[in-house]
Amino acid sequence: MNKVLITGIEPFDGDAVNPSWQVAQALAGEHIAGAEIAVLELPCVLGVANSQLVAAIDALQPVAVICLGLAGGRAEISLERVAINLIDARIPDNAGKQPIDVPVVAGGPVGYFSTLPVKAAVQQLRRQGIPAAVSYTAGTYNCNHIFYGLRHYLETHHSRVRGGFVHIPYSHELAAAHPGKPSMALATMVEAVRTIVQVTLTVEEDVRFGDGAGH
C-alpha cells in the first residue's frame, strides 16, 4: 500500500507541547485516498532533523511527504509555497545552537517550490470553512530548514514524490500560555491536514484562482 509521511516537530522555546506533532499523531495509521499515514516526530535541532527525515523517506518510500510546523501568531492553516537556502536562527535550537546566515545545503539552489497542490488545498479548506492561505515565507529557522532539506532531497533522489510544508497555528491548549495570540481547535487542524493529504493524492495540477487565496 502507498504511504504518506507526515512529520511534526518536538516542543521548543519553552512550550510544553507542539501541536504540529499532536496533529501528526492523530492521523497515524489512517487510510486516506488509498494511502496509509505514517508519522515521525522531528527534533528542533538544526541539521539533525533533516538527517532523520531523509532516513525515514528512504525507509518508507512514501508517495508524498507533508511536514508540519508551528507558526505561533498565525490565525490560519498556512501552506508554504517556497523554501529558501538560509538558516538565520532567531533563537537557539534545542541543542543550544544558533547558526546565523548559513545555508541549509552548502552549494544548493537559492530556493525550492513546494510540489504540493497548495492553491487547490487552500481552496478546498476554505470550502470546508477552515481558515487557510498560501504563504510565501516559511521563516529562516527550523521549519524552513526542514522544508528546504525535504525538497532538496526529493529533487535529487525521489523526484516523483510530492513534498511540502504546512504551518499551523497555536492550539487552544498552547494559546493559553500565549495570551492574545490566535489559535485553532486541534480537531480542526487534524481535519485540515486530512484534507491536504486527500487533495495531494487526487489533484494532478494546482488550480488558478483570483480571489486572493494566493496572497
Side-chain angles (χ1 to χ4, degrees), residues 78-92:
S78 299
L79 285 95
E80 298 297 343
R81 189 80 183 274
V82 61
I84 60 173
N85 193 14
L86 175 67
I87 302 173
D88 193 12
R90 61 180 179 83
I91 56 173

Side-chain angles (χ1 to χ4, degrees), residues 6-8 18-32 37-41 68 168 185-194 197:
I6 298 178
T7 70
N18 189 326
S20 68
W21 176 233
Q22 293 176 298
V23 169
Q25 281 182 300
L27 292 165
E30 281 197 18
H31 293 83
I32 303 172
I37 305 301
V39 302
L40 173 68
E41 182 181 31
L68 308 178
I168 63 175
L186 198 63
T188 301
M189 295 191 282
V190 171
E191 184 58 30
V193 176
R194 188 179 286 121
V197 174

Side-chain angles (χ1 to χ4, degrees), residues 2-215:
N2 288 337
K3 291 186 181 292
V4 171
L5 175 61
I6 298 178
T7 70
I9 302 173
E10 69 181 356
F12 67 100
D13 198 24
D15 286 334
V17 296
N18 189 326
S20 68
W21 176 233
Q22 293 176 298
V23 169
Q25 281 182 300
L27 292 165
E30 281 197 18
H31 293 83
I32 303 172
E36 182 179 2
I37 305 301
V39 302
L40 173 68
E41 182 181 31
L42 296 173
C44 186
V45 179
L46 296 159
V48 175
N50 281 356
S51 297
Q52 292 185 9
L53 178 58
V54 163
I57 292 169
D58 286 344
L60 292 169
Q61 297 292 306
V63 296
V65 183
I66 299 172
C67 296
L68 308 178
L70 173 64
R74 296 194 193 183
E76 55 201 359
I77 303 295
S78 299
L79 285 95
E80 298 297 343
R81 189 80 183 274
V82 61
I84 60 173
N85 193 14
L86 175 67
I87 302 173
D88 193 12
R90 61 180 179 83
I91 56 173
D93 66 14
N94 284 356
K97 298 183 296 182
Q98 191 176 3
I100 302 295
D101 292 337
V102 300
V104 179
V105 177
V110 171
Y112 286 106
F113 287 113
S114 174
T115 51
L116 303 180
V118 294
K119 291 183 178 180
V122 166
Q123 191 176 69
Q124 181 57 37
L125 288 170
R126 289 179 171 185
R127 288 194 193 106
Q128 293 172 211
I130 298 175
V134 177
S135 168
Y136 294 91
T137 176
T140 56
Y141 190 51
N142 194 42
C143 290
N144 175 74
H145 149 265
I146 290 169
F147 184 15
Y148 185 95
L150 167 68
R151 286 294 300 117
H152 181 75
Y153 190 66
L154 294 182
E155 195 73 19
T156 55
H157 292 80
H158 301 279
S159 60
R160 295 185 177 181
V161 178
R162 279 185 153 179
F165 199 95
V166 178
H167 267 124
I168 63 175
Y170 285 133
S171 61
H172 295 332
E173 172 192 9
L174 192 53
H178 298 273
K181 297 294 185 181
S183 63
M184 186 177 290
L186 198 63
T188 301
M189 295 191 282
V190 171
E191 184 58 30
V193 176
R194 188 179 286 121
T195 294
I196 293 167
V197 174
Q198 176 79 29
V199 173
T200 297
L201 296 179
T202 57
V203 173
E204 291 296 326
E205 296 183 1
D206 214 345
V207 300
R208 292 177 180 270
F209 44 43
D211 66 349
H215 297 283

